[in-house]
Amino acid sequence: MDRIRIRGGRPLNGAIRIGGAKNAALPLMAASLLTDETLALGNLPHVADIATMGELLVQLGVGVSMNGAGDGAPLANGGNEGRVLGLTAEALANRTAPYDLVRKMRASVLVLGPLLARAGRARVSLPGGCAIGPRPVDIHLRALEQLGAEIDLRDGYIEASAPNGLHGAQIAFPSVSVGATENLMMAASLAVGETTLTNAAREPEIQDLGKCLSAMGARIEGIGTDTIRVAGVARLRGAEHQVLPDRIETGTYAVAAAITGGDVELVETEMGLIEAVAEKLHDAGVEMTPTARGVRVRRAGNRVSGIDLVTEPYPGYPTDMQAQMMALMAIAEGASLITETIFENRFMHVPELSRMGANITVHGGSAMVRGVPVLTGAPVMATDLRASVSLLLAGLAARDETVVNRVYHLDRGYERVEEKLAACGADIERIRG
Ligand code: UD1
């Protein structure tokens, strides 16, 4: 298993290119199941979760093609080699998402809605427990039942069928779920009649999916609000779509600049995607300014100040940026109260940050972080993507050497993280094996 070794204490300076959003690309890839024509997705990130979704789609019978094998370098024609994925679900060979893939990546459940809508049947492994809490899929299933799906849970699988097709319905989600909103938008696009989704998620990734579905011929209104109306159509067509920039990658590198006291321009991204994070960083004393290409992040001199935050559905502060901000608050002047409301058990980074000298106490869903002047390097590991990257960020600021183990968690969602940081002056390397 690969590890990453960091010798901390060097301010980052330079530019970092932000890739396409993993969490937008995953539902967009699943949307290819809705049509027999080709869906071409540009600005695709090269991360392990995308490869896993590709593998799942291939098993379902989707033809997959990539525009060359490059790593995303710009081409003379304005494209990026290796970043445009063509997905063609001409005929579906299979309707099962097997346990070994769903276990690796919970977002595999996003094929459920499209398969049901297009093929009338789907068999998707239940995701089971995961490192950040139980994460059930009950909201997805109840809503699909309201569209007329029959659902049984058997042998660890969701067995879903729509013997009479899917029919529009009024669906009020009991709580905000990104994945359930996406699954239902896709299923309702091919249902007979109109569906209304209330208490829908509003994340930029949902908006990106809505934009792509509209380009495929879906009739969707209210994208980006908590009430989405979908008028079903008989068929959808192929489309070309550029995946929006990854706001969590943007926020993560913003914290990297801040935690090292650096000056970094994040390019091919937008300030508007990370307003809630930018606001907190600004309160902490980090300078963030929009540029022609993206966002400049700078912290000169003084320590950041402690700030309080509560994770919430978009447009609130994102749970996927909670661990990274905690790493920054670990070296802030003063105390910070960080409250997690989206997931249970999303503080696995706390004991590891504590091993690096952070002073953090957890009470239920809140963590009290009392800033210390300096962290000390240590061998650390984490059990999920964002927790892992928070340890890496802490390592960038820490005295001496930090080794982050189990880098495969990072590789699920961050493309060439060590290369991007090294190019800005970090002393960081991947140790293979
Ligand atoms: C997506 C993101 C993930 C992010 C999360 C919240 C992707 C691929 N992943 O995950 O990175 O952290 O949004 O912003 O886009 N819940 C239920 N029953 C359900 C569905 C969800 O109880 O049927 C609960 C979850 O356990 C969780 C909360 O609702 O506590 C929010 O989950 P949800 O918004 O569905 O997250 P995901 O779509 O899985």
Side-chain angles (χ1 to χ4, degrees), residues 23 106 135-140 177-179 319-320 342-343:
N23 285 353
R106 200 176 173 282
R135 297 186 82 171
V137 288
D138 54 315
I139 300 173
H140 302 236
S177 163
V178 173
T319 173
D320 286 350
I342 307 292
F343 291 110

Side-chain angles (χ1 to χ4, degrees), residues 22-24 26-27 49 106-107 110 132-141 175-180 182 201 203 205 247 312-313 318-320 341-344 346 386:
K22 165 183 90 75
N23 285 353
L26 293 171
D49 275 7
R106 200 176 173 282
L110 293 170
I132 52 176
R135 297 186 82 171
V137 288
D138 54 315
I139 300 173
H140 302 236
L141 302 187
S175 59
V176 179
S177 163
V178 173
E182 292 165 344
E203 271 65 3
E205 293 75 21
R247 64 195 168 101
E312 284 170 336
T319 173
D320 286 350
T341 71
I342 307 292
F343 291 110
E344 294 168 34
R346 203 174 196 180
R386 309 303 171 185

Side-chain angles (χ1 to χ4, degrees), residues 66-423:
M66 189 61 114
N67 74 328
D71 64 358
L75 294 173
N77 66 8
N80 294 80
E81 193 190 1
R83 297 225 181 252
V84 182
L85 186 69
L87 299 165
T88 315
E90 203 169 347
L92 298 176
N94 184 353
R95 288 156 186 75
T96 299
Y99 175 66
D100 58 328
L101 288 178
V102 181
R103 178 178 54 90
K104 259 206 228 168
M105 188 187 66
R106 200 176 173 282
S108 308
V109 78
L110 293 170
V111 301
L112 179 60
L115 277 179
L116 250 182
R118 167 101 182 274
R121 241 166 352 108
R123 191 167 172 267
V124 176
S125 173
L126 279 165
C130 81
I132 52 176
R135 297 186 82 171
V137 288
D138 54 315
I139 300 173
H140 302 236
L141 302 187
R142 293 298 82 79
L144 288 169
E145 281 176 340
Q146 284 182 265
L147 291 187
E150 292 181 3
I151 292 178
D152 282 319
L153 301 183
R154 211 177 301 140
D155 305 327
Y157 275 79
I158 303 161
E159 308 263 3
S161 64
N164 304 314
L166 295 177
H167 294 270
Q170 307 276 332
I171 295 167
F173 290 116
S175 59
V176 179
S177 163
V178 173
T181 304
E182 292 165 344
N183 240 334
L184 268 289
M185 279 166 70
M186 292 190 278
S189 291
L190 285 182
V192 175
E194 188 170 308
T195 299
T196 306
L197 306 172
T198 50
N199 203 20
R202 293 188 277 165
E203 271 65 3
E205 293 75 21
I206 304 260
Q207 300 177 35
D208 209 36
L209 175 65
K211 206 166 132 191
C212 179
L213 289 172
S214 300
M216 293 167 73
R219 290 171 51 207
I220 307 182
E221 280 174 18
I223 300 165
T225 75
D226 62 2
T227 304
I228 299 177
R229 284 194 180 77
V230 187
V233 294
R235 67 181 294 277
L236 293 173
R237 52 179 185 267
E240 285 179 19
H241 180 82
Q242 283 287 109
V243 178
L244 93 166
D246 194 314
R247 64 195 168 101
I248 306 301
E249 191 189 22
T250 307
T252 301
Y253 287 116
V255 171
I259 208 166
T260 60
D263 185 349
V264 174
E265 187 183 12
L266 308 172
V267 300
E268 290 181 40
T269 187
E270 290 159 37
M271 187 87 154
L273 289 171
I274 54 158
E275 265 166 20
V277 174
E279 199 180 303
K280 289 294 169 188
L281 284 172
H282 174 81
D283 291 350
V286 180
E287 222 178 274
M288 295 201 48
T289 38
T291 66
R293 305 190 297 174
V295 183
R296 181 177 174 196
V297 188
R298 197 158 78 100
R299 172 172 71 88
N302 294 349
R303 281 168 74 186
V304 292
S305 319
I307 44 126
D308 296 342
L309 70 87
V310 180
T311 64
E312 284 170 336
Y314 190 83
Y317 188 92
T319 173
D320 286 350
M321 278 299 302
Q322 180 256 104
Q324 298 89 318
M325 192 65 96
M326 193 181 295
L328 180 62
M329 289 303 108
I331 57 158
E333 183 103 54
S336 312
L337 187 66
I338 297 186
T339 303
E340 172 61 54
T341 71
I342 307 292
F343 291 110
E344 294 168 34
N345 195 18
R346 203 174 196 180
F347 286 136
M348 283 93 50
H349 39 289
V350 169
E352 298 295 290
L353 288 172
S354 302
R355 293 182 53 246
M356 297 177 73
N359 180 352
I360 307 172
T361 38
V362 173
H363 299 284
S366 292
M368 171 60 77
V369 187
R370 292 183 176 83
V372 296
V374 69
L375 296 173
T376 324
V380 287
M381 66 174 197
T383 45
D384 84 55
L385 172 57
R386 309 303 171 185
S388 296
V389 87
S390 77
L391 301 177
L392 190 143
L393 293 171
L396 290 174
R399 185 188 288 152
D400 305 331
E401 184 176 292
T402 296
V403 176
V404 181
N405 291 290
R406 297 198 180 176
V407 168
Y408 61 86
H409 286 298
L410 275 173
D411 292 336
R412 286 189 55 188
Y414 290 93
E415 182 174 343
R416 295 180 298 140
V417 65
E418 69 283 10
E419 287 174 38
K420 290 186 181 187
L421 290 168

